[in-house]
Amino acid sequence: MENNTAKKILDVAQEMVRTRGYSAFSYADISKQVGIRKASIHYHFASKDDLVEALVKGYQEKVQRAGDRIAKSNATPGERVVEFANLYRSGLADNQICLCAMLAADFDVLPQPIRDEVQVFFRQIETCLTSLLQQGVDAQLWVCHPSVEHEAKGLIALLQGAQLLARSSADRTATFEQMVYPLLNAKFPVG
């Protein structure tokens, strides 16, 4: 029961952070949605900072597993890059953007332990994407200028920027796809 309650708290908190941001939710908001008292939330997570730090660590693990799955897939290097982009596309139907991108928008007000975890996340996805791009370079399918690492950083910025712009659109997913996929297909061909 306790693990189930903690999971519900984390799920609701994640949805709130991904749609509202760090500063726009409280334990009172969570207690209403989960149907428990605020004291029960404090039992599982002593403070909001502890809760958000747990969220980021869980999100890191989830994205790492997805990146590993993509890297080990039988897809072509171009298809793998598209699969990576799809990680950013997936939450848009529910008006959710990348948890750590949302937290980065509030970076100056985050406590240092959460800042540290957000930075770990960005290094993690940069490493994952760098590896995926290097696969295409090694197969002589594309060239990355000035380096694979720079291309990875630029692609992450594109994906997160596209998420933000898509949020203001009537059809978020279509808007994201119109911004991202033509550029991906031009630079990192699927075939």
Side-chain angles (χ1 to χ4, degrees):
M1 177 68 171
E2 285 185 17
N3 285 340
N4 193 30
T5 301
K7 184 182 178 332
K8 286 180 185 177
I9 293 167
L10 287 167
D11 290 346
V12 168
Q14 179 170 292
E15 187 271 332
M16 288 181 176
V17 173
R18 289 182 70 186
T19 58
R20 301 180 189 181
Y22 175 81
S23 300
F25 83 96
S26 68
Y27 274 19
D29 297 321
I30 295 170
S31 71
K32 287 177 193 171
Q33 283 202 11
V34 177
I36 59 175
R37 297 175 321 147
K38 288 190 294 184
S40 297
I41 299 170
H42 283 285
Y43 172 78
H44 295 283
F45 303 98
S47 69
K48 181 178 177 178
D49 297 344
D50 294 331
L51 172 60
V52 174
E53 188 174 350
L55 277 178
V56 175
K57 287 179 179 182
Y59 195 72
Q60 288 170 350
E61 292 171 10
K62 177 182 173 187
V63 172
Q64 183 66 50
R65 283 192 307 272
D68 291 346
R69 178 189 48 78
I70 292 168
K72 293 174 184 173
S73 76
N74 292 327
T76 67
E79 290 168 338
R80 290 177 184 157
V81 173
V82 171
E83 285 182 51
F84 183 88
N86 287 342
L87 297 175
Y88 284 84
R89 179 184 165 272
S90 66
L92 287 171
D94 297 322
N95 195 31
Q96 294 184 0
I97 65 170
C98 170
L99 176 78
C100 290
M102 197 65 144
L103 289 171
D106 290 329
F107 198 77
D108 289 342
V109 300
L110 297 176
Q112 193 61 49
I114 297 173
R115 287 182 186 192
D116 293 343
E117 291 301 328
V118 169
Q119 290 173 329
V120 166
F121 172 81
F122 285 121
R123 285 192 302 271
Q124 171 191 331
I125 62 165
E126 184 180 325
T127 298
C128 175
L129 186 53
T130 297
S131 175
L132 293 176
L133 295 179
Q134 188 63 51
Q135 292 171 4
V137 170
D138 293 345
Q140 299 180 351
L141 297 172
W142 56 69
V143 177
C144 293
H145 289 290
S147 69
V148 177
E149 293 80 11
H150 281 89
E151 290 273 1
K153 287 180 185 188
L155 186 51
I156 291 165
L158 167 70
L159 295 170
Q160 292 181 344
Q163 278 189 327
L164 287 173
L165 291 172
R167 284 185 84 189
S168 65
S169 172
D171 188 341
R172 295 175 185 102
T173 302
T175 299
F176 179 87
E177 291 170 352
Q178 291 165 0
M179 287 186 276
V180 171
Y181 294 119
L183 294 171
L184 289 184
N185 290 331
K187 180 68 182 173
F188 311 108
V190 172

